[in-house]
């Protein structure tokens, strides 16, 4: 049984709201340039197939048919966009989560939709840049600043060279996984105008007397086993993030009740500590297992 099953029943509303925001983001992402190709349509259909139960519930049963009719011909007219925008405003209740959470969920879906056909165009980036400009209240919330920085740098010369396209796809495709509640493996973090990974790349872990904290769900160990491994190697385990924590281990399966899909409150706190100069390392569980096996 999943570690989250005991309290997931209390989070139905949260997961439902996240699904709405993800759907709206995907729609904006695949239609941001006004054209929808077959790969983008296939990505949208894949999301519908993975959410069959949800699609038959309100407000999906009202919203999905309208979106499908609008994009089935491969084009999106201004009238169709206005109709969907109006309907979304009527259907989407954002009072359960604050507008920032809803916006970040939508941004996740937008970049996933843009990357769904394997190509990022200048027109799509222009559309994304406009969306970012209209949603500046999301500044300081990961990954708004990182995406805004990437888009600004790439659009400086109004061209996307092969290196830039590779970087955009490497980052944007990470967000496809969050739609299935998986943990992003190599998300980026903006610090002092430089982009680096949130999760440390090939980190060297020092277990003796180090303090570890765990978040999310592992695809390998139950949490108790993680604790045993860490303590047997001389480390300590903390229940929450603080300045005393040296490592935050992020489970590869994420958490289906996380509002931000790719991470939760502990990662948010760890990111803020890192931005303020503390040396805490955020480690993906795959790297944790590698470090243990190398001992």
């Amino acid at each position: 049984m999943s570690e989250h099953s005991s309290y997931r029943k209390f989070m139905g509303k949260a997961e439902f709201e996240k699904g709405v925001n993800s759907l709206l983001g995907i729609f904006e992402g695949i239609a941001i340039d006004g054209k929808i190709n077959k790969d983008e349509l296939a990505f949208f259909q894949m999301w519908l197939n993975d959410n069959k139960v949800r699609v038959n519930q309100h407000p999906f049963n009202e919203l999905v048919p309208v979106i499908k009719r609008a994009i089935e011909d491969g084009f999106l007219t201004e009238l169709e966009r206005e109709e969907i925008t109006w309907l979304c405003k009527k259907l989407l209740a954002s009072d359960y989560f604050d507008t920032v959470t809803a916006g970040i969920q939508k941004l996740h879906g937008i970049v996933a939709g843009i990357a769904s056909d394997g190509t990022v165009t200048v027109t799509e980036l222009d559309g994304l840049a406009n969306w970012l400009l209209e949603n500046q209240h999301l500044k300081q919330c990961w990954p708004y600043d990182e995406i805004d920085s990437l888009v600004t740098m790439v659009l400086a010369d109004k061209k996307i060279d092969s290196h830039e396209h590779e970087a955009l796809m490497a980052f944007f495709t990470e967000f496809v996984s969050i739609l299935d509640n998986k943990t992003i493996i190599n998300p980026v973090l903006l610090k002092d105008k430089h982009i680096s990974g949130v999760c440390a790349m090939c980190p060297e872990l020092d277990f003796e007397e180090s303090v570890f904290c765990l978040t999310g769900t592992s695809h390998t160990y139950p949490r108790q086993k993680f604790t045993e491994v860490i303590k047997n190697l001389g480390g300590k385990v903390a229940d929450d993030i603080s300045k005393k924590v040296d490592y935050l281990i992020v489970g590869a399966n994420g958490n289906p009740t996380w509002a931000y899909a790719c991470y939760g409150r502990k990662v948010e706190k760890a990111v803020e500590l890192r931005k303020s100069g503390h040396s805490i390392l955020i480690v993906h569980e795959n790297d944790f297992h590698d470090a243990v096996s190398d001992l």
Side-chain angles (χ1 to χ4, degrees), residues 80-268:
E80 289 170 333
R81 187 185 296 273
E82 290 176 0
E83 179 185 5
I84 292 171
T85 300
W86 175 87
L87 181 59
C88 289
K89 289 180 178 179
K90 294 292 185 182
L91 294 177
L92 183 60
S94 59
D95 56 341
Y96 186 82
F97 288 126
D98 61 32
T99 55
V100 171
T101 302
I104 290 297
Q105 290 174 345
K106 195 170 183 181
L107 179 57
H108 289 169
I110 289 173
V111 294
I114 289 175
S116 64
D117 63 347
T119 301
V120 181
T121 68
V122 170
T123 303
E124 288 174 328
L125 287 189
D126 280 332
L128 177 56
N130 289 334
W131 189 93
L132 293 169
L133 186 63
E134 294 169 359
N135 291 271
Q136 294 187 61
H137 62 285
L138 300 176
K139 280 182 176 293
Q140 305 303 314
C141 295
W142 191 90
Y144 179 98
D145 294 339
E146 287 68 30
I147 292 175
D148 187 44
S149 178
L150 280 174
V151 171
T152 299
M153 286 189 292
V154 173
L155 288 179
D157 59 359
K158 290 295 181 181
K159 297 178 181 178
I160 303 176
D161 62 32
S162 58
H163 177 72
E164 290 170 335
H165 189 269
E166 183 179 356
L168 286 166
M169 283 299 300
F171 184 32
F172 284 12
T173 52
E174 289 275 9
F175 289 88
V176 175
S177 66
I178 70 173
L179 303 179
D180 193 30
N181 294 309
K182 300 300 182 183
T183 303
I184 290 182
I185 296 175
N186 295 310
V188 300
L189 173 68
L190 187 66
K191 182 179 180 181
D192 299 329
K193 297 185 178 180
H194 295 287
I195 294 175
S196 61
V198 167
C199 290
M201 299 297 291
C202 302
E204 294 184 7
L205 274 60
D206 183 8
F207 286 89
E208 190 68 31
E209 295 300 316
S210 293
V211 179
F212 291 76
C213 185
L214 309 173
T215 188
T217 304
S218 168
H219 61 70
T220 306
Y221 294 155
R223 186 158 300 198
Q224 183 178 357
K225 178 64 174 178
F226 263 107
T227 300
E228 291 176 2
V229 170
I230 292 169
K231 289 183 176 180
N232 288 339
L233 293 172
K236 304 175 183 178
V237 179
D239 292 329
D240 203 358
I241 292 296
S242 71
K243 295 178 182 179
K244 296 180 180 180
V245 173
D246 300 294
Y247 304 102
L248 174 64
I249 309 301
V250 182
N253 282 346
N255 181 328
T257 64
W258 283 347
Y260 284 69
C262 60
Y263 61 9
R265 182 183 58 84
K266 289 179 181 177
V267 177
E268 184 84 0

Side-chain angles (χ1 to χ4, degrees), residues 274-291:
R274 278 188 50 178
K275 285 185 175 182
S276 62
H278 295 282
S279 59
I280 183 172
L281 279 182
I282 305 174
V283 180
H284 192 274
E285 82 158 280
N286 291 343
D287 290 314
F288 174 86
H289 295 314
D290 289 342

Side-chain angles (χ1 to χ4, degrees), residues 51-69:
N51 292 270
K52 287 181 180 179
V53 175
R54 185 177 287 167
V55 166
N56 292 324
Q57 298 175 328
H58 177 80
F60 293 97
N61 57 355
E62 295 186 45
L63 183 54
V64 169
V66 175
I67 293 178
K68 291 180 72 173
R69 286 197 302 270

